[in-house]
Amino acid sequence: MAKHQIITVDNSEIRFYQEKEEDFFSLTDIAKKFNERTDQVIFNWLRNRSTVDFLGAWETIHNASFNPLEFEGIRNQTGLSTFVLSVSDWVEKTNAIGMRAKTGRYGGTFAHRDIAFEFLSHLSPTFKLYVFKEFQRLKAVEAEQNKQTLAWNLKRTLAKVNYLIHTDAVKEHLVPPRIYNTKAESIYFASEADLLNMALFGVTAKQWREVNPDLKGNMRDYASSEQLLVLANLENLNAEFIRQGL
Protein backbone atom coordinates (compact mmCIF):
# COMPACT_ATOMS: atom_id res chain seq x y z
CA MET A 1 0.00 0.00 0.00
CA ALA A 2 1.28 3.46 -0.91
CA LYS A 3 2.53 5.53 1.99
CA HIS A 4 0.18 8.31 3.06
CA GLN A 5 1.31 11.89 3.40
CA ILE A 6 -0.64 14.58 5.21
CA ILE A 7 -1.25 18.25 4.60
CA THR A 8 -2.82 20.38 7.31
CA VAL A 9 -5.17 23.14 6.17
CA ASP A 10 -7.18 25.28 8.56
CA ASN A 11 -6.56 22.75 11.37
CA SER A 12 -7.83 19.88 9.20
CA GLU A 13 -5.54 17.00 8.26
CA ILE A 14 -5.99 15.60 4.75
CA ARG A 15 -4.27 12.40 3.69
CA PHE A 16 -3.00 11.79 0.19
CA TYR A 17 -0.71 9.32 -1.51
CA GLN A 18 1.02 8.93 -4.83
CA GLU A 19 0.37 6.11 -7.28
CA LYS A 20 2.16 5.97 -10.63
CA GLU A 21 3.17 9.63 -10.16
CA GLU A 22 -0.47 10.65 -9.65
CA ASP A 23 -1.79 12.08 -6.37
CA PHE A 24 -4.92 10.72 -4.68
CA PHE A 25 -6.62 12.68 -1.89
CA SER A 26 -8.89 11.43 0.87
CA LEU A 27 -12.40 12.70 0.19
CA THR A 28 -13.30 11.32 3.61
CA ASP A 29 -10.84 13.69 5.30
CA ILE A 30 -12.04 16.61 3.21
CA ALA A 31 -15.70 15.88 4.00
CA LYS A 32 -14.90 15.65 7.72
CA LYS A 33 -14.05 19.36 7.67
CA PHE A 34 -17.75 20.06 7.05
CA ASN A 35 -19.65 17.16 8.62
CA GLU A 36 -18.81 14.11 10.72
CA ARG A 37 -21.12 12.03 8.53
CA THR A 38 -18.52 11.90 5.79
CA ASP A 39 -20.11 9.06 3.82
CA GLN A 40 -23.34 11.02 3.52
CA VAL A 41 -21.50 14.12 2.29
CA ILE A 42 -19.78 12.11 -0.45
CA PHE A 43 -23.00 10.23 -1.25
CA ASN A 44 -24.93 13.49 -1.74
CA TRP A 45 -22.21 14.85 -4.01
CA LEU A 46 -22.27 11.72 -6.19
CA ARG A 47 -26.04 12.09 -6.77
CA ASN A 48 -25.55 15.39 -8.62
CA ARG A 49 -25.84 15.40 -12.42
CA SER A 50 -22.88 17.76 -12.68
CA THR A 51 -20.73 15.39 -10.59
CA VAL A 52 -21.57 12.38 -12.74
CA ASP A 53 -20.86 14.40 -15.91
CA PHE A 54 -17.49 15.50 -14.54
CA LEU A 55 -16.51 11.97 -13.46
CA GLY A 56 -17.54 10.63 -16.86
CA ALA A 57 -15.51 13.28 -18.69
CA TRP A 58 -12.45 12.62 -16.51
CA GLU A 59 -12.58 8.86 -17.03
CA THR A 60 -13.11 9.26 -20.79
CA ILE A 61 -9.91 11.30 -21.02
CA HIS A 62 -7.74 9.24 -18.66
CA ASN A 63 -9.11 5.70 -18.75
CA ALA A 64 -9.04 3.56 -21.91
CA SER A 65 -11.04 0.83 -20.11
CA PHE A 66 -13.88 3.13 -19.07
CA ASN A 67 -17.33 1.67 -19.85
CA PRO A 68 -19.33 4.39 -21.66
CA LEU A 69 -22.52 2.33 -21.90
CA GLU A 70 -22.73 1.83 -18.14
CA PHE A 71 -21.90 5.50 -17.69
CA GLU A 72 -24.82 6.56 -19.88
CA GLY A 73 -27.11 4.29 -17.91
CA ILE A 74 -26.03 5.95 -14.66
CA ARG A 75 -26.22 9.42 -16.17
CA ASN A 76 -29.78 8.88 -17.36
CA GLN A 77 -30.88 8.09 -13.81
CA THR A 78 -29.49 11.28 -12.24
CA GLY A 79 -32.23 13.56 -11.03
CA LEU A 80 -34.60 10.72 -10.19
CA SER A 81 -35.69 10.52 -6.55
CA THR A 82 -34.75 6.84 -6.55
CA PHE A 83 -31.21 7.44 -7.89
CA VAL A 84 -28.38 6.36 -5.59
CA LEU A 85 -24.71 5.92 -6.39
CA SER A 86 -21.83 4.80 -4.20
CA VAL A 87 -18.14 4.95 -5.02
CA SER A 88 -18.00 1.15 -5.12
CA ASP A 89 -20.94 1.01 -7.56
CA TRP A 90 -19.35 3.65 -9.78
CA VAL A 91 -16.01 1.80 -9.93
CA GLU A 92 -17.55 -1.64 -10.41
CA LYS A 93 -20.00 -0.66 -13.16
CA THR A 94 -17.81 1.68 -15.21
CA ASN A 95 -14.27 0.35 -14.52
CA ALA A 96 -13.43 3.81 -13.18
CA ILE A 97 -9.87 4.47 -11.98
CA GLY A 98 -10.23 8.00 -10.63
CA MET A 99 -11.87 7.00 -7.34
CA ARG A 100 -11.49 4.10 -4.95
CA ALA A 101 -12.93 3.04 -1.61
CA LYS A 102 -10.36 1.63 0.81
CA THR A 103 -11.18 -0.40 3.90
CA GLY A 104 -9.26 -0.89 7.12
CA ARG A 105 -7.62 1.41 9.62
CA TYR A 106 -6.32 3.84 7.01
CA GLY A 107 -9.29 3.46 4.71
CA GLY A 108 -11.82 5.87 3.32
CA THR A 109 -12.76 7.25 -0.08
CA PHE A 110 -9.84 8.49 -2.16
CA ALA A 111 -9.91 10.30 -5.50
CA HIS A 112 -7.47 11.59 -8.06
CA ARG A 113 -6.30 15.14 -7.45
CA ASP A 114 -8.51 16.53 -10.25
CA ILE A 115 -11.60 14.89 -8.80
CA ALA A 116 -10.71 15.84 -5.23
CA PHE A 117 -10.48 19.51 -6.20
CA GLU A 118 -13.84 19.27 -7.95
CA PHE A 119 -15.24 17.87 -4.70
CA LEU A 120 -13.67 20.80 -2.84
CA SER A 121 -15.27 23.25 -5.25
CA HIS A 122 -18.64 21.70 -4.43
CA LEU A 123 -18.09 22.04 -0.68
CA SER A 124 -16.21 25.32 -0.41
CA PRO A 125 -14.29 27.24 -3.09
CA THR A 126 -12.43 29.12 -0.36
CA PHE A 127 -11.26 25.96 1.39
CA LYS A 128 -10.29 24.54 -2.01
CA LEU A 129 -7.95 27.49 -2.59
CA TYR A 130 -6.32 26.97 0.82
CA VAL A 131 -5.81 23.26 0.10
CA PHE A 132 -4.46 23.99 -3.37
CA LYS A 133 -2.01 26.58 -2.04
CA GLU A 134 -0.72 24.26 0.70
CA PHE A 135 -0.37 21.38 -1.77
CA GLN A 136 1.63 23.58 -4.15
CA ARG A 137 3.91 24.62 -1.29
CA LEU A 138 4.52 20.99 -0.33
CA LYS A 139 5.29 20.02 -3.92
CA ALA A 140 7.75 22.90 -4.22
CA VAL A 141 9.56 21.70 -1.07
CA GLU A 142 9.67 18.12 -2.40
CA ALA A 143 11.01 19.30 -5.76
CA GLU A 144 13.82 21.21 -4.06
CA GLN A 145 14.68 18.22 -1.87
CA ASN A 146 14.75 15.94 -4.93
CA LYS A 147 16.95 18.43 -6.72
CA GLN A 148 19.42 18.50 -3.82
CA THR A 149 19.37 14.68 -3.56
CA LEU A 150 20.10 14.33 -7.27
CA ALA A 151 22.99 16.78 -7.03
CA TRP A 152 24.42 14.88 -4.04
CA ASN A 153 24.11 11.52 -5.83
CA LEU A 154 25.85 12.86 -8.92
CA LYS A 155 28.73 14.25 -6.87
CA ARG A 156 28.99 11.05 -4.80
CA THR A 157 29.21 9.07 -8.04
CA LEU A 158 31.88 11.43 -9.35
CA ALA A 159 33.86 11.00 -6.12
CA LYS A 160 33.61 7.21 -6.43
CA VAL A 161 34.78 7.27 -10.06
CA ASN A 162 37.74 9.47 -9.16
CA TYR A 163 38.48 7.20 -6.18
CA LEU A 164 39.19 4.40 -8.67
CA ILE A 165 41.54 6.72 -10.57
CA HIS A 166 43.16 7.51 -7.24
CA THR A 167 43.60 3.87 -6.15
CA ASP A 168 44.95 2.92 -9.59
CA ALA A 169 47.61 5.61 -9.23
CA VAL A 170 48.49 4.40 -5.72
CA LYS A 171 48.85 0.78 -6.85
CA GLU A 172 50.83 1.66 -9.96
CA HIS A 173 53.30 4.05 -8.34
CA LEU A 174 53.36 3.52 -4.56
CA VAL A 175 52.57 -0.14 -3.77
CA PRO A 176 55.59 -2.47 -4.08
CA PRO A 177 54.77 -5.28 -6.55
CA ARG A 178 55.77 -7.90 -3.99
CA ILE A 179 52.74 -7.11 -1.79
CA TYR A 180 50.11 -6.91 -4.55
CA ASN A 181 46.78 -8.45 -3.50
CA THR A 182 47.82 -8.85 0.14
CA LYS A 183 46.56 -7.23 3.32
CA ALA A 184 49.66 -5.06 3.38
CA GLU A 185 48.56 -3.50 0.09
CA SER A 186 45.48 -2.01 1.75
CA ILE A 187 47.68 0.07 4.07
CA TYR A 188 48.86 2.14 1.12
CA PHE A 189 45.31 2.78 -0.09
CA ALA A 190 44.08 3.68 3.40
CA SER A 191 47.05 5.96 4.07
CA GLU A 192 46.58 7.90 0.85
CA ALA A 193 42.79 8.09 1.37
CA ASP A 194 43.32 9.45 4.88
CA LEU A 195 45.64 12.10 3.48
CA LEU A 196 42.60 13.47 1.62
CA ASN A 197 40.30 12.82 4.58
CA MET A 198 42.51 14.93 6.85
CA ALA A 199 42.70 17.71 4.26
CA LEU A 200 38.94 17.82 3.73
CA PHE A 201 37.31 16.53 6.95
CA GLY A 202 40.06 17.04 9.51
CA VAL A 203 39.91 13.42 10.72
CA THR A 204 40.96 9.98 9.50
CA ALA A 205 38.47 7.25 8.62
CA LYS A 206 39.26 5.43 11.87
CA GLN A 207 38.77 8.56 13.97
CA TRP A 208 35.42 9.22 12.31
CA ARG A 209 34.20 5.67 13.00
CA GLU A 210 35.22 5.98 16.66
CA VAL A 211 33.16 9.15 17.01
CA ASN A 212 30.19 7.76 15.03
CA PRO A 213 29.92 4.06 15.95
CA ASP A 214 26.17 3.87 15.20
CA LEU A 215 26.32 5.26 11.65
CA LYS A 216 26.55 2.94 8.67
CA GLY A 217 28.95 3.55 5.81
CA ASN A 218 31.82 6.00 6.00
CA MET A 219 32.27 9.74 6.44
CA ARG A 220 32.04 10.32 2.70
CA ASP A 221 28.47 8.99 2.74
CA TYR A 222 27.56 11.86 5.09
CA ALA A 223 29.48 14.59 3.30
CA SER A 224 27.75 17.63 1.81
CA SER A 225 27.50 18.17 -1.94
CA GLU A 226 30.23 20.80 -1.74
CA GLN A 227 32.56 18.45 0.17
CA LEU A 228 31.99 15.66 -2.36
CA LEU A 229 32.83 18.00 -5.23
CA VAL A 230 36.05 19.07 -3.48
CA LEU A 231 36.88 15.42 -2.74
CA ALA A 232 36.45 14.42 -6.38
CA ASN A 233 38.89 17.15 -7.41
CA LEU A 234 41.35 16.24 -4.65
CA GLU A 235 41.35 12.59 -5.73
CA ASN A 236 41.98 13.56 -9.33
CA LEU A 237 44.75 16.02 -8.42
CA ASN A 238 46.43 13.64 -5.98
CA ALA A 239 46.40 10.84 -8.55
CA GLU A 240 48.26 13.12 -10.94
CA PHE A 241 50.73 14.21 -8.24
CA ILE A 242 51.44 10.55 -7.44
CA ARG A 243 52.11 9.80 -11.10
CA GLN A 244 54.54 12.76 -11.22
CA GLY A 245 56.32 11.51 -8.11
CA LEU A 246 55.54 14.66 -6.12
Side-chain angles (χ1 to χ4, degrees):
M1 182 178 179
K3 182 180 179 181
H4 286 162
Q5 293 178 266
I6 295 177
I7 58 173
T8 302
V9 182
D10 195 20
N11 297 319
S12 296
E13 291 188 346
I14 301 173
R15 293 168 296 160
F16 72 95
Y17 66 90
Q18 195 169 73
E19 181 180 298
K20 297 179 181 179
E21 299 185 357
E22 297 290 344
D23 297 296
F24 285 78
F25 281 79
S26 170
L27 300 190
T28 302
D29 292 349
I30 293 172
K32 192 175 182 179
K33 168 71 176 176
F34 303 92
N35 195 307
E36 289 294 328
R37 299 179 63 184
T38 56
D39 290 343
Q40 192 63 46
V41 174
I42 297 171
F43 177 78
N44 289 339
W45 174 64
L46 287 173
R47 295 185 74 241
N48 292 331
R49 177 67 171 265
S50 60
T51 299
V52 172
D53 282 343
F54 178 85
L55 293 176
W58 190 94
E59 295 290 344
T60 299
I61 294 172
H62 298 90
N63 182 7
S65 299
F66 184 58
N67 190 326
L69 294 178
E70 286 290 346
F71 165 66
E72 283 301 326
I74 292 173
R75 185 174 184 273
N76 290 335
Q77 295 181 59
T78 56
L80 298 177
S81 59
T82 57
F83 175 66
V84 292
L85 181 65
S86 69
V87 173
S88 298
D89 288 338
W90 169 253
V91 172
E92 182 179 347
K93 291 179 179 179
T94 67
N95 296 321
I97 61 173
M99 299 180 69
R100 63 275 316 264
K102 292 180 175 289
T103 59
R105 180 181 177 185
Y106 301 104
T109 298
F110 287 81
H112 184 274
R113 176 184 64 249
D114 299 341
I115 299 172
F117 283 122
E118 179 70 12
F119 181 54
L120 278 162
S121 294
H122 168 75
L123 295 175
S124 169
T126 300
F127 188 60
K128 171 190 174 180
L129 291 174
Y130 287 141
V131 173
F132 183 67
K133 184 176 181 180
E134 176 60 19
F135 183 63
Q136 281 188 313
R137 186 197 66 78
L138 180 63
K139 286 299 181 180
V141 171
E142 287 183 351
E144 182 60 28
Q145 290 175 341
N146 291 336
K147 180 180 176 182
Q148 292 176 359
T149 299
L150 178 60
W152 189 92
N153 287 337
L154 288 173
K155 291 171 183 175
R156 185 70 176 106
T157 300
L158 178 61
K160 287 182 177 180
V161 171
N162 280 5
Y163 178 72
L164 295 177
I165 296 173
H166 190 241
T167 54
D168 285 347
V170 172
K171 184 165 187 175
E172 183 178 350
H173 298 280
L174 297 182
V175 179
R178 68 177 186 279
I179 64 170
Y180 280 178
N181 302 319
T182 66
K183 290 184 178 180
E185 181 186 54
S186 64
I187 296 175
Y188 286 83
F189 296 128
S191 176
E192 207 64 28
D194 272 338
L195 178 70
L196 304 187
N197 289 336
M198 286 296 297
L200 181 59
F201 303 108
V203 294
T204 65
K206 181 180 179 181
Q207 289 171 336
W208 183 87
R209 283 194 297 272
E210 290 173 347
V211 176
N212 302 281
D214 297 327
L215 295 181
K216 296 181 180 180
N218 58 57
M219 73 177 88
R220 300 180 182 199
D221 294 321
Y222 298 91
S224 67
S225 293
E226 291 77 11
Q227 288 173 323
L228 290 174
L229 187 58
V230 171
L231 177 62
N233 285 312
L234 285 177
E235 288 171 335
N236 200 37
L237 287 169
N238 199 43
E240 185 58 31
F241 294 155
I242 290 173
R243 291 190 181 94
Q244 294 179 22
L246 300 178

PDB file of all heavy atoms in Angstrom, residues 6 18 90 152 186 226 232:
ATOM      1  N   ILE A   6       0.426  13.764   4.634  1.00  0.00           N
ATOM      2  CA  ILE A   6      -0.639  14.582   5.214  1.00  0.00           C
ATOM      3  C   ILE A   6      -0.336  16.066   5.003  1.00  0.00           C
ATOM      4  O   ILE A   6       0.799  16.510   5.198  1.00  0.00           O
ATOM      5  CB  ILE A   6      -0.793  14.307   6.731  1.00  0.00           C
ATOM      6  CG1 ILE A   6      -1.255  12.867   6.969  1.00  0.00           C
ATOM      7  CG2 ILE A   6      -1.788  15.286   7.365  1.00  0.00           C
ATOM      8  CD1 ILE A   6      -1.350  12.498   8.436  1.00  0.00           C
ATOM      9  N   GLN A  18       0.664   8.890  -3.415  1.00  0.00           N
ATOM     10  CA  GLN A  18       1.020   8.929  -4.833  1.00  0.00           C
ATOM     11  C   GLN A  18       1.030   7.524  -5.417  1.00  0.00           C
ATOM     12  O   GLN A  18       1.553   6.594  -4.811  1.00  0.00           O
ATOM     13  CB  GLN A  18       2.386   9.582  -5.034  1.00  0.00           C
ATOM     14  CG  GLN A  18       2.671   9.973  -6.469  1.00  0.00           C
ATOM     15  CD  GLN A  18       3.904  10.844  -6.593  1.00  0.00           C
ATOM     16  OE1 GLN A  18       5.012  10.361  -6.454  1.00  0.00           O
ATOM     17  NE2 GLN A  18       3.704  12.140  -6.846  1.00  0.00           N
ATOM     18  N   TRP A  90     -19.912   2.900  -8.650  1.00  0.00           N
ATOM     19  CA  TRP A  90     -19.354   3.646  -9.778  1.00  0.00           C
ATOM     20  C   TRP A  90     -18.127   2.929 -10.352  1.00  0.00           C
ATOM     21  O   TRP A  90     -18.011   2.748 -11.568  1.00  0.00           O
ATOM     22  CB  TRP A  90     -18.988   5.052  -9.321  1.00  0.00           C
ATOM     23  CG  TRP A  90     -18.179   5.851 -10.297  1.00  0.00           C
ATOM     24  CD1 TRP A  90     -16.856   6.165 -10.211  1.00  0.00           C
ATOM     25  CD2 TRP A  90     -18.642   6.425 -11.526  1.00  0.00           C
ATOM     26  NE1 TRP A  90     -16.457   6.899 -11.293  1.00  0.00           N
ATOM     27  CE2 TRP A  90     -17.538   7.077 -12.118  1.00  0.00           C
ATOM     28  CE3 TRP A  90     -19.872   6.454 -12.178  1.00  0.00           C
ATOM     29  CZ2 TRP A  90     -17.625   7.748 -13.329  1.00  0.00           C
ATOM     30  CZ3 TRP A  90     -19.963   7.125 -13.390  1.00  0.00           C
ATOM     31  CH2 TRP A  90     -18.848   7.769 -13.955  1.00  0.00           C
ATOM     32  N   TRP A 152      23.532  15.625  -4.941  1.00  0.00           N
ATOM     33  CA  TRP A 152      24.415  14.876  -4.036  1.00  0.00           C
ATOM     34  C   TRP A 152      24.806  13.547  -4.657  1.00  0.00           C
ATOM     35  O   TRP A 152      25.970  13.146  -4.624  1.00  0.00           O
ATOM     36  CB  TRP A 152      23.711  14.638  -2.700  1.00  0.00           C
ATOM     37  CG  TRP A 152      24.623  14.068  -1.639  1.00  0.00           C
ATOM     38  CD1 TRP A 152      25.345  14.757  -0.724  1.00  0.00           C
ATOM     39  CD2 TRP A 152      24.882  12.665  -1.408  1.00  0.00           C
ATOM     40  NE1 TRP A 152      26.055  13.880   0.073  1.00  0.00           N
ATOM     41  CE2 TRP A 152      25.798  12.606  -0.324  1.00  0.00           C
ATOM     42  CE3 TRP A 152      24.458  11.493  -2.002  1.00  0.00           C
ATOM     43  CZ2 TRP A 152      26.276  11.394   0.177  1.00  0.00           C
ATOM     44  CZ3 TRP A 152      24.940  10.281  -1.514  1.00  0.00           C
ATOM     45  CH2 TRP A 152      25.832  10.243  -0.437  1.00  0.00           C
ATOM     46  N   SER A 186      46.561  -2.905   1.332  1.00  0.00           N
ATOM     47  CA  SER A 186      45.482  -2.006   1.749  1.00  0.00           C
ATOM     48  C   SER A 186      45.980  -0.840   2.581  1.00  0.00           C
ATOM     49  O   SER A 186      45.332   0.210   2.639  1.00  0.00           O
ATOM     50  CB  SER A 186      44.430  -2.794   2.527  1.00  0.00           C
ATOM     51  OG  SER A 186      44.975  -3.317   3.723  1.00  0.00           O
ATOM     52  N   GLU A 226      29.023  20.010  -1.522  1.00  0.00           N
ATOM     53  CA  GLU A 226      30.235  20.800  -1.740  1.00  0.00           C
ATOM     54  C   GLU A 226      31.478  19.991  -1.379  1.00  0.00           C
ATOM     55  O   GLU A 226      32.491  20.016  -2.087  1.00  0.00           O
ATOM     56  CB  GLU A 226      30.184  22.086  -0.905  1.00  0.00           C
ATOM     57  CG  GLU A 226      29.149  23.097  -1.360  1.00  0.00           C
ATOM     58  CD  GLU A 226      27.728  22.732  -0.933  1.00  0.00           C
ATOM     59  OE1 GLU A 226      27.562  21.801  -0.113  1.00  0.00           O
ATOM     60  OE2 GLU A 226      26.785  23.369  -1.438  1.00  0.00           O
ATOM     61  N   ALA A 232      36.226  14.946  -5.039  1.00  0.00           N
ATOM     62  CA  ALA A 232      36.449  14.424  -6.385  1.00  0.00           C
ATOM     63  C   ALA A 232      37.642  15.109  -7.044  1.00  0.00           C
ATOM     64  O   ALA A 232      38.466  14.464  -7.707  1.00  0.00           O
ATOM     65  CB  ALA A 232      35.196  14.624  -7.234  1.00  0.00           C
TER      66      ALA A 232
END
